[in-house]
Amino acid sequence: MNTVATVIAVLGVFWTQAFSYEIYSLPGTNGDYVQQTVTISNELHIADIHIHAGLCSSDTIFDYKHGYIATRLFSRRACFILKMEKVYIPELKEIGRLAYEKQMMNKMFSPKHLWVQYEPSDSIFGEIKEWLIFGKPIEKLCKGVPVYKVRKVEGAIRAGGCAKAGILGILGISICGKISV
């Protein structure tokens, strides 16, 4: 009987390590009411961020396996995809550490902010061949809405109508449309 219990215990340890998720509920950055949940899957190499803030709600996936970040902005009914570069995107373990600190301390603020820009007239619709490149999690998030590829720009963009996403207070992402004059 003891060997059966030992085998079950060992299998339980391996099972929880293989399918481990870290879930954090984070407060807003300025004491405002924003429900933010960060779920990290070390097995899939993904961080999934849900921001529930009324009209400013969004879902963001950091897919480290495929090297892309996708944000779905519900108010704009669109998805924005950025190629990850290690220079400005923290590692998955770092996101977990910062999310834990923010959840516990409530006052932590990270100065990291990323400005990205898209061309409003350049969206992709329907079935796209890039789903193989972007991976299944991003396909599930973005399928059925216009998809825009965004690019990182240096410094703040002086344009109205930018949407905030990412992980508030850890790595903010401002998504702005390019304005041609």
Side-chain angles (χ1 to χ4, degrees):
M1 192 70 159
N2 283 340
T3 50
V4 172
T6 304
V7 169
I8 291 173
V10 169
L11 286 175
V13 168
F14 287 121
W15 180 263
T16 55
Q17 288 176 351
F19 295 101
S20 66
Y21 289 93
E22 300 168 40
I23 301 172
Y24 306 95
S25 294
L26 306 179
T29 54
N30 298 325
D32 50 351
Y33 180 75
V34 174
Q35 183 181 353
Q36 180 176 208
T37 307
V38 178
T39 304
I40 296 174
S41 169
N42 292 313
E43 175 198 331
L44 300 174
H45 306 288
I46 289 176
D48 192 358
I49 296 85
H50 302 284
I51 298 174
H52 305 282
L55 290 174
C56 299
S57 296
S58 66
D59 281 349
T60 301
I61 291 178
F62 289 73
D63 188 335
Y64 288 86
K65 180 179 176 184
H66 292 94
Y68 286 93
I69 300 169
T71 296
R72 184 168 181 166
L73 297 174
F74 297 109
S75 64
R76 298 198 182 177
R77 293 181 180 92
C79 215
F80 303 88
I81 299 176
L82 173 69
K83 177 81 173 145
M84 268 191 210
E85 291 185 30
K86 293 183 182 200
V87 175
Y88 53 85
I89 303 299
E91 292 291 327
L92 187 60
K93 287 181 184 179
E94 178 76 359
I95 288 177
R97 183 185 66 76
L98 291 170
Y100 175 77
E101 287 178 7
K102 178 142 179 78
Q103 178 177 277
M104 299 316 273
M105 298 187 325
N106 195 12
K107 299 286 185 192
M108 186 198 83
F109 183 78
S110 171
K112 292 187 179 200
H113 197 87
L114 182 63
W115 291 86
V116 296
Q117 194 171 49
Y118 69 98
E119 184 67 51
S121 63
D122 192 22
S123 68
I124 305 167
F125 283 98
E127 301 295 319
I128 58 174
K129 64 180 186 242
E130 283 86 356
W131 291 138
L132 293 174
I133 296 167
F134 298 147
K136 280 285 185 202
I138 290 177
E139 178 183 2
K140 284 182 182 177
L141 178 68
C142 297
K143 199 166 190 168
V145 296
V147 175
Y148 297 89
K149 291 182 182 177
V150 297
R151 63 179 181 80
K152 181 183 177 300
V153 294
E154 295 302 321
I157 299 170
R158 304 279 186 244
C162 294
K164 293 186 181 345
I167 312 171
L168 303 178
I170 294 176
L171 175 66
I173 300 174
S174 289
I175 302 169
C176 307
K178 184 177 181 182
I179 299 173
S180 300
V181 185

